Amino acid sequence: MSRLPGWLSRLGTGVARAGERLEERRARAEDADEPAPEPVAVRVSKSADEDEGSAGNGTVPAPPAYAPAIAAKADPVAAVPWSIRVAAEVGWRFLVLAGMLWVLMRVISSVQLVVFAFVGALLITALLQPTVARLMRLGLPRGLATAVTFISGFVIMGLVGWFVVWQVMENLDDLSNQVQRGIDELEKWLLDSPFHVTGDEINDIAKSLREAVGTNTEEITSAGLTGVTVMVEILTGILLAMFSTLFLLYDGKRIWHWTLKLFPAAARPGVAGAGPRAWRTLTAYVRGTVIVALIDAVFIGVGIYFLDVPMAVPLAVFIFLFAFIPLVGAVISGALAVVVALVTQGVFTALMALIVVLAVQQIEGHVLQPFILGRAVKVHPLAVVLSVAAGGMVAGIGGAVVAVPLVAVTNTVVGYLRTYARENALQQAAVASAPEPAPESAGEQVGDSR
């Protein structure tokens, strides 16, 4: 018992020294701004009693050595192949573009008359605007030059339309008689042909046609009423096109500057450079198409006139108008001239008319269009055919007329924007790689101040 106080004093002294050493270590850790590592107890092996005790204390026992290793699950994005991820990214962007295009087409179809009137006004303005510029260079004020060009242009177009209608009405009776004679001659030729067509079969075909016309009287009447509605819409579209053309001729630059403000500021320089180039392409297309159509109409009209084909002048005007539908219009107007020659003058005259039409169209396709249009409206023939077909399917004859200039303008705009983006990227790279100017020394600054 006498030794117990000494042992307790030594134990208290040891605990005090351990506390001092712990305080010193904690102070050194705080001075070094390093958190003190937490003690980690690793137990290599335990007995059953110790496992039960640790479970009672709330600690998680270590897994046994024979337990299989569980691999971490991969990221779902990394599990998808790269090609599928790229296809998905491209796919949803195409879906967004297709949806936007579908909405745009729905909006255009709901205001189709206004859209076609404005597009027609753009084409007419592209044809007449050089005349306004030429009159202004001669000294006329802009308002007077615009009025003179506008009135003369629409008067000429109105006279052409009136002349076509007048020629058709004047020669309609004669043409119907000649067509009837041509049908009789065709009937005789079929009877004498090696196709073994009998007169009863020809009469049955004619009877079926008469019955079809008689049973569809109501449909023909409704078609006539629809024709009246179409005429009203055509007149409305003509008036809209006239007013739009007048304001585009007089105030085109101000309208273009206002349109530029609708684009974001970052995209405005590129659009400002693409606009004039697109307008030059459209002007070149319209003027070149008018010249080519006029040459086709004159040469084919003169050829069928010397072949004594009736209504040669109205047919020439039709050839001029259909020439605004590339490729397809020339085929339709040429076929119309050949059919009229066949039913009125016979097979030989029809063959001669076909030769004239093919010769003029070959000269047009291989000589006139490359020389007159040049590279301003360089569009591949496949693109022309597909655009005309798509435009005709979407919006009829108007869509077929507008399709090719739209493709030509789009080609010009996309090409310019691509070049502009490349040059802009090169300029930014050159500015970024340029060395910074060296700072001026104090002596130079003092000398400059003096």
Side-chain angles (χ1 to χ4, degrees), residues 8-18:
L8 291 175
S9 62
R10 286 193 299 273
L11 179 62
T13 303
V15 171
R17 291 177 181 176

Side-chain angles (χ1 to χ4, degrees), residues 82-346:
W82 180 82
S83 58
I84 296 179
R85 293 203 300 269
V86 172
E89 292 284 339
V90 175
W92 74 258
R93 286 175 171 83
F94 269 116
L95 287 177
V96 171
L97 291 176
M100 183 182 66
L101 183 62
W102 182 81
V103 172
L104 180 62
M105 294 302 297
R106 295 289 295 178
V107 172
I108 290 176
S109 62
S110 61
V111 290
Q112 187 174 2
L113 180 63
V114 178
V115 173
F116 276 129
F118 184 74
V119 172
L122 282 176
L123 296 176
I124 298 172
T125 304
L127 179 63
L128 299 180
Q129 194 270 336
T131 305
V132 175
R134 191 175 295 111
L135 292 177
M136 290 178 63
R137 286 195 297 268
L138 294 177
L140 270 71
R142 186 172 188 83
L144 183 58
T146 301
V148 171
T149 305
F150 173 79
I151 294 173
S152 59
F154 276 94
V155 165
I156 291 173
M157 287 186 285
L159 289 176
V160 170
W162 171 81
F163 179 76
V164 172
V165 175
W166 174 62
Q167 285 290 314
V168 171
M169 297 302 295
E170 283 289 325
N171 296 281
L172 187 59
D173 295 335
D174 186 23
L175 180 63
S176 62
N177 294 330
Q178 291 184 3
V179 169
Q180 185 61 42
R181 289 198 299 268
I183 292 174
D184 294 338
E185 292 178 0
L186 183 61
E187 181 180 353
K188 293 179 182 178
W189 181 79
L190 288 175
L191 290 173
D192 297 334
S193 67
F195 297 108
H196 304 289
V197 180
T198 62
D200 295 335
E201 293 176 348
I202 296 176
N203 293 330
D204 291 339
I205 294 173
K207 183 179 178 181
S208 300
L209 291 175
R210 284 193 296 268
E211 290 179 354
V213 173
T215 55
N216 296 325
T217 305
E218 295 181 358
E219 295 181 2
I220 294 173
T221 304
S222 62
L225 295 176
T226 306
V228 174
T229 305
V230 170
M231 288 301 298
V232 173
E233 292 181 355
I234 289 175
L235 292 176
T236 305
I238 290 174
L239 292 176
L240 288 175
M242 291 176 65
F243 280 108
S244 301
T245 303
L246 179 62
F247 287 110
L248 288 173
L249 286 173
Y250 181 74
D251 219 6
K253 289 185 178 180
R254 187 178 302 176
I255 294 173
W256 169 242
H257 291 158
W258 177 84
T259 306
L260 278 178
K261 296 179 181 179
L262 300 177
F263 291 90
R268 208 168 291 168
V271 177
R277 288 168 175 79
W279 183 252
R280 285 197 294 268
T281 299
L282 184 62
T283 304
Y285 172 81
V286 174
R287 281 199 281 177
T289 304
V290 168
I291 295 173
V292 171
L294 186 61
I295 293 174
D296 285 353
V298 169
F299 281 95
I300 295 177
V302 169
I304 61 178
Y305 175 78
F306 282 109
L307 291 174
D308 292 330
V309 178
M311 297 177 61
V313 177
L315 287 175
V317 176
F318 277 116
I319 291 171
F320 174 79
L321 296 177
F322 275 93
F324 284 91
I325 307 176
L327 299 179
V328 179
V331 173
I332 295 175
S333 58
L336 179 62
V338 173
V339 169
V340 172
L342 175 64
V343 299
T344 57
Q345 300 295 328

Side-chain angles (χ1 to χ4, degrees), residues 57-77:
N57 294 331
T59 59
V60 179
Y66 58 83
I70 301 175
K73 293 184 179 180
D75 188 3
V77 177

Side-chain angles (χ1 to χ4, degrees), residues 403-436:
V404 176
L406 179 62
V407 171
V409 169
T410 304
N411 185 29
T412 301
V413 170
V414 171
Y416 172 78
L417 291 179
R418 188 187 299 115
T419 304
Y420 174 80
R422 188 185 305 115
E423 293 178 353
N424 193 17
L426 291 176
Q427 290 178 0
Q428 292 180 357
V431 170
S433 61
E436 296 183 359

Side-chain angles (χ1 to χ4, degrees), residues 45-60:
S45 63
K46 291 183 178 180
S47 62
D49 296 336
E50 290 176 346
D51 289 341
E52 292 178 358
S54 62
N57 294 331
T59 59
V60 179

